[in-house]
Amino acid sequence: MANIVTSACCVVLAAVVVVYAQRRSQQGARIQYEKIGSDVTMQCGTLGSEASVTWKVNGTDVENRREDDGPRLALKQVDLSVNGLYSCFQNPTGELKDQIILRVGNPPKEPIVTCRSNTYPKGFYCSWHLPHPTYIPTEFEVSVRHGLQDLQVQKDPIHKNRCHVKLPEIFSNNKYRVNVTATNALGNASGFLAFDEISIVKPDPPEKVVANPIPGNPRKLEVTWNSPSTWPDVETFPLKYFLRYRPLILDTWQHMELSDSTSYTITDAYAGKEYIIQVAAKDTEIGTWSDWSVAIHATPWIEEPKQIIITTTTEADENETTPSQASPSAKPQVGDTLGSSSAALTLSANLFITCIIVLII
Amino acid sequence: MATGFSDSEQARRDHLSKATSLARKVHKDAKEMQEIYRQKQGLSEEFSYDEVDGIPSSGVSKWNELSDEERLRANASAFHSLHCFLGIVLKEQREDLTPEDGEFHEALLSLLAQVETLAESTKQLLLMFGHVPPSNGISSPEQDLTYFKKKLRGYKVLLELSTWALRATRDFTKLQKQSTRITSTMAAPAMRSASRQKNQKKRGGYGR
């Protein structure tokens, strides 16, 4: 036990040392950002044009370097493979003169913005993404305008490309205008989205969808659900629901639209068949339907099979007056007169099987 | 089973229900007319219509905190004003902007009738709830606008009508739910005391 702890400590310590060493080796290194496909020149510190230097990238010598370049390193039509830590050493002393972290990327293109209100009438959130990757750190600034007013924007604590805005008023005809500006070392670009308050309303799917069979009813299923917990006021802003269901074996859905009710009994289910059920929600007046809830499976109540009594007769039994009775789990017995010998047969068969099982183990 | 509603309460509930349905219909129809109007008049969606004055604006910042009276008065006042404006819009369409488009005028006329009913309904609700309807002494809308300003105003009237009707739908729904809640809490104590009496009778026999 102690050995494991000691080993773990050693591993952690080693990792810390490696990271520290890496950091120290990059200390004083500056970052140089360049556009993919461009020609790049790196300058070794403040050395004059007569200086002679050796360049290394990530510790290995740089290939194909022109001798007369002095303190400069030229790279043509760079791609992502040139990324790395470049060090230059003055000849002939080998003194380290400069370190440059080269990062190749693209300036941002116009961000694509989408907004949605799943918490109407409290507020909405907007998300954005860049149509093409930049490969280098890129920051985003968001501003929201409503008529002549600039609204306060709150960054999402978890999602980097998302922000939240409170609705300053409702039933407004003034459009909202959301502007997102992406900026990095190589440039910037802005994208925007303009919309009406009601066009972005889309609730989250209903929650806790449950379907239960109803005892005594082989063609019914009772479905219940909750309104989405993110919808702040279902009393004043009621939701309507859309239920869809189908047996697993079929492709076509049955649909049912319901107003302001969080339960429904399916009455036309095929007996004994497993069903798949989903529910969606929408504000009764505005906006669009939510995504479908997680699908749930349920089978209507099935009548338990009654005890089956099987009587088989042979020629020897035909004159028997009392029928033989078998327990539900037993195989049908072949008449009473053959009972004792068949019992012996069964016993030896069981012994044989047991021997086989023991041998296998 | 007793519902616990008096005749006047029931009449009010029926009226609220009808008003909600009408408001919902006006919201839907006005929204459709708004788009038809925009296309016929060749207006861009990006226009700012803030320059058009006098039309009641439906946007409100603390809608949830309004009292029942404030809600109904705001609706009554708005629909009365919008009815007036819509009448002028129809006149301008007939005489100036789309003189040949009889079908369009018919549709506007139908909407106008609905708005009149909605205005009356809201006034009636105010009285039923024991409040005083707002005085209808608003200044008559400006008649002498430029051709272009007339176009813009017509669109704005339909725009605001649609959102006012939506706001009214929400207001009436809220009032309906409140009325249901009040009546059910009123009924419950009566039922509780009745069952208590029953239980007491039962228990009497056990000498408790």
Side-chain angles (χ1 to χ4, degrees):
Chain A
M1 189 62 179
N3 278 339
I4 297 167
V5 172
T6 317
S7 308
C9 280
C10 286
V11 167
V12 168
L13 194 62
V16 169
V17 167
V18 165
V19 168
Y20 181 70
Q22 271 184 352
R23 288 253 173 92
R24 256 199 86 89
S25 77
Q26 285 177 13
Q27 235 170 35
R30 56 199 160 84
I31 308 176
Q32 187 169 329
Y33 292 106
E34 298 288 349
K35 195 164 185 279
I36 293 176
S38 66
D39 296 339
V40 171
T41 306
M42 281 182 281
Q43 179 77 29
C44 185
T46 49
L47 295 175
S49 49
E50 268 83 64
S52 171
V53 301
T54 307
W55 285 93
K56 282 187 195 271
V57 55
N58 295 335
T60 37
D61 288 328
V62 172
E63 289 171 16
N64 305 324
R65 190 188 161 232
R66 280 172 50 167
E67 285 303 320
D68 56 350
D69 259 350
R72 286 175 298 277
L73 175 64
L75 301 169
K76 299 254 180 237
Q77 293 180 313
V78 295
D79 61 20
L80 290 167
S81 65
V82 310
N83 280 346
L85 174 67
Y86 288 77
S87 315
C88 59
F89 305 86
Q90 187 158 31
N91 295 329
T93 59
E95 191 189 342
L96 174 67
K97 286 313 244 183
D98 201 359
Q99 284 196 305
I100 304 162
I101 299 169
L102 183 64
R103 294 286 302 272
V104 159
N106 283 320
K109 290 240 169 85
E110 189 182 308
I112 294 162
V113 189
T114 52
C115 297
R116 178 181 161 221
S117 174
N118 60 340
T119 56
Y120 189 80
K122 278 211 173 129
F124 61 90
Y125 70 88
C126 295
S127 306
W128 55 88
H129 69 272
L130 292 171
H132 304 287
T134 56
Y135 303 107
I136 58 173
T138 307
E139 294 299 309
F140 298 95
E141 269 293 309
V142 183
S143 65
V144 180
R145 207 160 169 79
H146 173 59
L148 295 168
Q149 210 189 347
D150 277 314
L151 302 180
Q152 208 182 37
V153 173
Q154 284 202 294
K155 287 198 205 287
D156 190 285
I158 303 162
H159 302 97
K160 192 183 139 211
N161 289 13
R162 193 186 286 190
C163 68
H164 300 265
V165 183
K166 284 201 177 97
L167 280 169
E169 55 174 357
I170 54 172
F171 311 119
S172 167
N173 281 309
N174 273 328
K175 282 197 196 271
Y176 289 83
R177 203 191 147 97
V178 177
N179 230 81
V180 177
T181 304
T183 308
N184 66 22
L186 299 173
N188 61 51
S190 289
F192 77 93
L193 183 71
F195 54 85
D196 287 315
E197 165 194 322
I198 62 177
S199 64
I200 59 162
V201 175
K202 178 180 171 180
D204 285 328
E207 293 170 10
K208 295 200 178 92
V209 185
V210 170
N212 287 315
I214 302 172
N217 290 279
R219 298 201 65 191
K220 288 189 179 178
L221 278 169
E222 194 196 15
V223 191
T224 58
W225 58 90
N226 286 358
S227 65
S229 53
T230 44
W231 195 254
D233 189 354
V234 78
E235 274 285 306
T236 319
F237 295 87
L239 296 169
K240 57 182 174 182
Y241 300 97
F242 208 80
L243 185 88
R244 71 174 185 179
Y245 59 97
R246 64 173 171 85
L248 277 183
I249 52 173
L250 293 178
D251 280 332
T252 35
W253 294 94
Q254 297 273 80
H255 294 110
M256 200 62 213
E257 186 168 317
L258 304 148
S259 288
D260 216 4
S261 163
T262 52
S263 65
Y264 178 70
T265 304
I266 297 167
T267 54
D268 60 351
Y270 291 114
K273 297 283 178 268
E274 188 180 346
Y275 271 76
I276 179 167
I277 299 157
Q278 289 179 295
V279 193
K282 182 183 167 305
D283 177 270
T284 49
E285 314 297 337
I286 60 174
T288 52
W289 287 97
S290 72
D291 291 340
W292 289 107
S293 66
V294 170
I296 57 152
H297 293 242
T299 309
W301 174 86
I302 302 169
E303 198 175 334
E304 249 189 59
K306 295 190 180 78
Q307 284 203 3
I308 298 167
I309 300 160
I310 300 168
T311 312
T312 52
T313 53
T314 60
E315 277 182 305
D317 282 353
E318 267 176 352
N319 296 324
E320 280 279 333
T321 50
T322 52
S324 59
Q325 284 202 355
S327 64
S329 51
K331 293 192 189 92
Q333 299 285 343
V334 188
D336 270 345
T337 49
L338 299 170
S340 54
S341 51
S342 68
L345 265 171
T346 319
L347 184 64
S348 49
N350 282 342
L351 272 169
F352 180 65
I353 292 165
T354 314
C355 288
I356 301 287
I357 292 166
V358 166
L359 274 169
I360 292 166
I361 293 167
Chain B
M1 190 178 77
T3 55
F5 299 142
S6 66
D7 281 345
S8 63
E9 266 167 33
Q10 190 59 49
R12 201 166 69 181
R13 284 171 64 81
D14 288 341
H15 201 86
L16 252 178
S17 174
K18 284 203 184 95
T20 312
S21 301
L22 179 57
R24 190 173 281 132
K25 186 165 191 308
V26 170
H27 166 58
K28 181 171 166 283
D29 290 349
K31 212 165 161 62
E32 275 171 28
M33 283 305 290
Q34 180 194 322
E35 187 50 31
I36 293 168
Y37 184 104
R38 193 184 67 75
Q39 285 174 17
K40 279 185 193 287
Q41 305 287 248
L43 294 168
S44 156
E45 277 193 73
E46 295 305 314
F47 257 114
S48 154
Y49 298 95
D50 290 336
E51 291 89 57
V52 192
D53 281 325
I55 302 163
S57 194
S58 53
V60 57
S61 58
K62 289 191 205 272
W63 176 82
N64 229 10
E65 294 170 26
L66 293 172
S67 68
D68 294 350
E69 183 179 358
E70 281 167 331
R71 284 173 201 287
L72 291 172
R73 291 197 110 217
N75 286 320
S77 172
F79 290 126
H80 176 80
S81 172
L82 286 164
H83 178 247
C84 202
F85 272 106
L86 193 58
I88 291 167
V89 169
L90 176 57
K91 184 165 172 279
E92 286 169 352
Q93 289 293 319
R94 276 177 171 153
E95 291 172 4
D96 205 358
L97 295 156
T98 54
E100 309 294 310
D101 204 337
E103 208 179 303
F104 185 51
H105 307 155
E106 280 300 311
L108 277 173
L109 189 62
S110 163
L111 185 60
L112 187 67
Q114 286 184 75
V115 177
E116 185 176 10
T117 313
L118 191 51
E120 278 308 309
S121 265
T122 319
K123 216 164 45 172
Q124 189 64 26
L125 277 171
L126 264 169
L127 291 165
M128 281 175 152
F129 273 83
H131 305 303
V132 178
S135 61
N136 292 329
I138 51 154
S139 53
S140 51
E142 204 185 325
Q143 303 265 10
D144 216 4
L145 292 183
T146 63
Y147 187 82
F148 186 65
K149 279 242 163 114
K150 283 180 190 174
K151 260 199 203 185
L152 281 189
R153 182 166 71 178
Y155 184 73
K156 184 125 201 245
V157 168
L158 290 167
L159 193 66
E160 290 296 342
L161 176 60
S162 161
T163 38
W164 267 109
L166 173 64
R167 180 172 160 176
T169 311
R170 301 286 198 194
D171 284 318
F172 300 158
T173 306
K174 196 168 164 74
L175 290 168
Q176 270 185 302
K177 297 228 166 178
Q178 269 165 215
S179 134
T180 316
R181 231 180 293 131
I182 290 165
T183 338
S184 60
T185 50
M186 273 167 59
M191 281 162 63
R192 263 187 258 131
S193 70
S195 68
R196 214 182 297 136
Q197 280 179 8
K198 240 169 81 180
N199 285 339
Q200 279 173 352
K201 276 189 185 160
K202 263 192 186 168
R203 282 205 215 107
Y206 298 114
R208 213 161 165 212

